[in-house]
Amino acid sequence: MIEAANIRKRYRRGREVLRDISFYAQPGECVGIAGENGCGKTTLLSILAGTLKADGGSLKYFGRDGLADRRAIRELVAYVPQENPLMEELSVRDNLLLWHRGDQAGLKRDLESGSAAMLGLSGHEKETAGKLSGGMKKRLSIACALAGQGRILVMDEPGAALDLLCKEAIRNYLESYRRKGGIVVLTSHDLMELKMCSRIYIMKGGVLIPLEQGFPLERLSEKL
């Protein structure tokens, strides 16, 4: 599980973005984080993914130190940032192979029955990543992140600027990942994505505020 307590982050010139971030997530849960642009959501996800260092607090992944143990992060966390992390001049297959660290057998299994297959990438292996639609690039980004078979999937605005069919495909995959015991932590402004979450937090003033169960998401803007 994820156990975050008192995570803090201050940028240069004294701007405190994260003041006291505490939350938990258990296997099979999808935790959603909503908030205004610039409130620190991406900063928090970057810390969860190990690409940004926190100034203080503690973070445990299944009992392992998520702030200091780089191996734990590599083994347990799959991160899909909002920006495109792909090598666009390479093919779909070669992008996946990079993330599989050259493991041809692992890539074959992934395309036959793993995350790449479930995300609809089978049959697109020879296509150049840079020529894919935005939705297919997002699917490929997710499959690349999960090449290490992480038990925790961290996603920044997974459905941003995608068409309805692609959003639905990604939601379906996330539901399957969660049902198999994976943990999903995502930020979103999309009501359909937030409706699939087990719990929702509002980020405001550098802290996470739990959204009360049963609160109508159509009125979410009242909490931001």
Side-chain angles (χ1 to χ4, degrees), residues 148-164:
Q149 300 181 347
R151 299 167 66 185
I152 300 167
L153 178 56
V154 177
M155 307 182 75
D156 195 357
E157 300 283 352
L162 301 183
D163 62 48
L164 294 177

Side-chain angles (χ1 to χ4, degrees), residues 50-71:
T51 63
L52 187 66
K53 185 177 180 181
D55 293 333
S58 66
L59 178 62
K60 299 291 185 182
Y61 292 142
F62 296 95
R64 299 169 68 177
D65 190 341
L67 296 181
D69 187 345
R70 306 299 300 177
R71 183 175 179 181

Side-chain angles (χ1 to χ4, degrees), residues 27-28 113-114 118 173-182:
S113 59
M118 294 180 66
Y173 176 76
L174 294 181
E175 285 287 355
S176 173
Y177 179 85
R178 181 186 60 76
R179 286 196 300 270
K180 292 177 181 178

Side-chain angles (χ1 to χ4, degrees), residues 7-87:
I7 298 292
R8 303 185 303 281
K9 181 63 181 179
R10 183 187 297 273
Y11 285 122
R12 291 181 180 179
R13 300 182 182 177
R15 184 189 172 206
E16 190 176 45
V17 181
L18 306 179
R19 181 162 54 87
D20 186 15
I21 296 293
S22 299
F23 77 99
Y24 71 95
Q26 297 177 332
E29 282 195 317
C30 178
V31 173
I33 300 173
E36 294 181 338
N37 291 335
C39 70
K41 301 188 301 296
T42 296
T43 297
L44 174 59
L45 294 198
S46 298
I47 290 172
L48 295 180
T51 63
L52 187 66
K53 185 177 180 181
D55 293 333
S58 66
L59 178 62
K60 299 291 185 182
Y61 292 142
F62 296 95
R64 299 169 68 177
D65 190 341
L67 296 181
D69 187 345
R70 306 299 300 177
R71 183 175 179 181
I73 296 171
R74 289 195 303 269
E75 292 178 355
L76 296 172
V77 182
Y79 179 41
V80 183
Q82 193 169 356
E83 67 275 8
N84 176 14
L86 303 174
M87 301 289 287

Side-chain angles (χ1 to χ4, degrees), residues 159-221:
L162 301 183
D163 62 48
L164 294 177
L165 288 177
C166 189
K167 287 184 177 184
E168 183 178 9
I170 291 174
R171 287 198 305 270
N172 289 339
Y173 176 76
L174 294 181
E175 285 287 355
S176 173
Y177 179 85
R178 181 186 60 76
R179 286 196 300 270
K180 292 177 181 178
I183 298 174
V184 180
V185 180
L186 59 84
T187 66
S188 183
H189 298 284
D190 187 296
L191 293 185
M192 293 301 294
E193 288 175 354
L194 292 173
K195 284 180 178 179
M196 64 178 280
C197 295
S198 313
R199 284 177 290 110
I200 297 172
Y201 292 89
I202 306 298
M203 181 170 284
K204 194 170 185 178
V207 300
L208 288 180
I209 304 167
L211 184 68
E212 56 264 35
Q213 291 290 332
F215 186 86
L217 292 180
E218 292 75 14
R219 294 169 48 198
L220 186 62
S221 61

